[in-house]
Amino acid sequence: MADKRTAILILGMHRSGTSALTRVLNLCGVDLGEHLMPPAQGNNESGFWEHLHAVDLHERALMLLGRSWSDARRLPADWQTSAPAAAAEQRIAELIRNEFAQSPLWAVKDPRLCRFVPLWVKVLGEAGIDLKVIFVLRNPEEVIASLARRDGLSRHESGLLLLNHFFEAMLATTDHKRCVVTYPSLMDDWRGCVDRIAQELAIELPLRDSAAGDIEKFLNRGARNHYAADDYAVLCESLNGRIYRAALDCADSAQFWRTVADLGDIWALYRNDVLPYVDELLDLLAMRGALERQGHLPAIVRAAGQDCAEPPLARLQFRMIAGLQDGVGRLG
């Protein structure tokens, strides 16, 4: 049909290469809309390629749900039927109408999107827009190193964030065409990466050949600040590593999803039997942070093992929090 519209959701954790892939697809003819986030000196100097309105609606929804982009807790159990979710759906619909009403092929990229895929799936379905999905994966050690350098996140926080971003988005897109690519495949062979996307998602990228020169200039291989060797033995030590290894090993996305199905079963056990306790401990950590910001928590409490007058949270709870900080990331 001449008026058929297709939307691509580009999904991946912060620092996973989603910005690079999004710009490459944009140069190949995929519309990203107006009002894009500007580049940031010392961060993403070549651009984020995120729609400011999409980022804003995601940030607002996270705030109203008591979360932030770097919060490793799961979203509240009833979040999809909450007032913040309903407001986000309205803003998603407005964004689509205002920015992409005349676009036959367009995309949205924002790492926060991984947490809100169900809302986008619902709104796109109601609008009659065909949905395609791209997952971008990068060696988890590189992601963790990048987040530590940029945001000061511990490896354990980043590991759990990676798992939440991947599995929440995976479970929300099972009924849609989806492709999985890795950051190295994009940087080493962008043509093969783009061809795989076009073939597996059954889309046409009209400017693919004419944009080759611009793509080569954009993909600055020297800007890759963090590199970890794809050591298979090391990757097998974590769930995040096993997901990434599957992406490296599998010949196509269909094989990848079959391979990670068993990993999804492992994640379900974590989610049902372990993460409720993790969330409770992270709740305590969030409370501690709030007390510190309000000046109600003596700095001496931060020093482990020192005797001092305790604030409302008990010493045992602080020990649990310290244990969480050291160990929760081993889930990933």
Side-chain angles (χ1 to χ4, degrees):
M1 295 177 60
D3 59 350
K4 179 182 177 181
R5 291 188 291 162
T6 298
I8 303 172
L9 301 184
I10 300 173
L11 306 177
M13 177 62 181
H14 300 261
R15 318 307 292 171
S16 289
T18 53
S19 296
L21 177 67
T22 302
R23 177 52 173 164
V24 168
L25 292 178
N26 176 231
L27 289 170
C28 289
V30 178
D31 185 13
L32 302 181
E34 303 294 334
H35 310 104
L36 297 180
M37 182 181 292
Q41 188 69 27
N43 189 350
N44 258 17
E45 297 182 2
S46 59
F48 293 90
W49 309 102
E50 298 172 3
H51 200 289
L52 283 170
H53 296 173
V55 174
D56 182 68
L57 75 87
H58 294 149
E59 285 278 17
R60 181 167 179 79
L62 285 169
M63 180 190 68
L64 293 175
L65 291 168
R67 301 289 189 269
S68 69
W69 76 264
S70 60
D71 195 324
R73 289 174 292 177
R74 296 173 301 168
L75 296 180
D78 60 348
W79 77 269
Q80 292 188 45
T81 57
S82 67
E89 287 178 9
Q90 290 183 351
R91 294 191 63 187
I92 292 170
E94 292 172 1
L95 172 60
I96 294 171
R97 286 195 302 269
N98 294 337
E99 293 288 316
F100 303 112
Q102 306 302 319
S103 299
L105 180 63
W106 54 274
V108 172
K109 169 260 173 180
D110 174 21
R112 303 160 191 81
L113 174 58
C114 293
R115 312 300 303 269
F116 296 109
V117 174
L119 306 185
W120 285 84
V121 169
K122 179 182 177 182
V123 174
L124 289 168
E126 291 172 347
I129 298 173
D130 192 22
L131 171 60
K132 308 292 176 72
V133 183
I134 303 172
F135 282 74
V136 185
L137 300 179
R138 184 177 182 181
N139 188 310
E141 292 301 316
E142 295 181 7
V143 175
I144 288 167
S146 184
L147 288 170
R149 178 174 179 266
R150 190 190 73 171
D151 304 294
L153 295 184
S154 72
R155 67 177 296 106
H156 309 314
E157 291 173 294
S158 296
L160 188 51
L161 279 167
L162 267 166
L163 291 174
N164 279 326
H165 278 64
F166 176 78
F167 281 110
E168 289 177 11
M170 181 192 82
L171 293 171
T173 58
T174 54
D175 295 330
H176 300 277
K177 281 187 178 294
R178 51 190 185 177
C179 177
V180 180
V181 298
T182 66
Y183 179 59
S185 72
L186 174 68
M187 300 302 289
D188 296 340
D189 179 19
W190 69 264
R191 291 176 178 83
C193 183
V194 166
D195 288 347
R196 174 172 175 167
I197 290 170
Q199 178 180 1
E200 294 189 349
L201 298 185
I203 59 175
E204 293 185 10
L205 298 171
L207 305 181
R208 185 262 197 204
D209 294 327
S210 61
D214 290 333
I215 293 173
E216 288 290 343
K217 292 178 183 177
F218 169 74
L219 290 176
N220 180 8
R221 278 81 174 180
R224 186 174 178 179
N225 295 317
H226 301 281
Y227 179 82
D230 292 333
D231 186 315
Y232 277 23
V234 173
L235 290 175
C236 286
E237 293 176 355
S238 73
L239 192 54
N240 279 316
R242 291 168 68 184
I243 293 166
Y244 178 67
R245 176 173 173 174
L248 295 176
D249 288 346
C250 293
D252 55 34
S253 296
Q255 183 184 4
F256 171 83
W257 293 116
R258 290 193 298 270
T259 301
V260 300
D262 290 341
L263 301 183
D265 293 339
I266 296 172
W267 175 245
L269 293 175
Y270 283 142
R271 186 181 68 240
N272 296 331
D273 298 338
V274 178
L275 290 191
Y277 302 101
V278 171
D279 287 344
E280 288 185 17
L281 291 175
L282 286 172
D283 286 342
L284 292 176
L285 188 59
M287 291 170 61
R288 180 185 182 184
L291 289 172
E292 287 181 325
R293 289 191 295 273
Q294 295 167 13
H296 299 321
L297 185 64
I300 194 172
V301 174
R302 302 173 188 169
Q306 287 190 284
D307 293 328
C308 61
E310 292 289 349
L313 298 181
R315 178 178 296 276
L316 176 59
Q317 292 171 319
F318 284 127
R319 288 176 180 170
M320 294 168 68
I321 291 169
L324 167 67
Q325 290 172 314
D326 288 338
V328 69
R330 294 171 192 169
L331 289 173

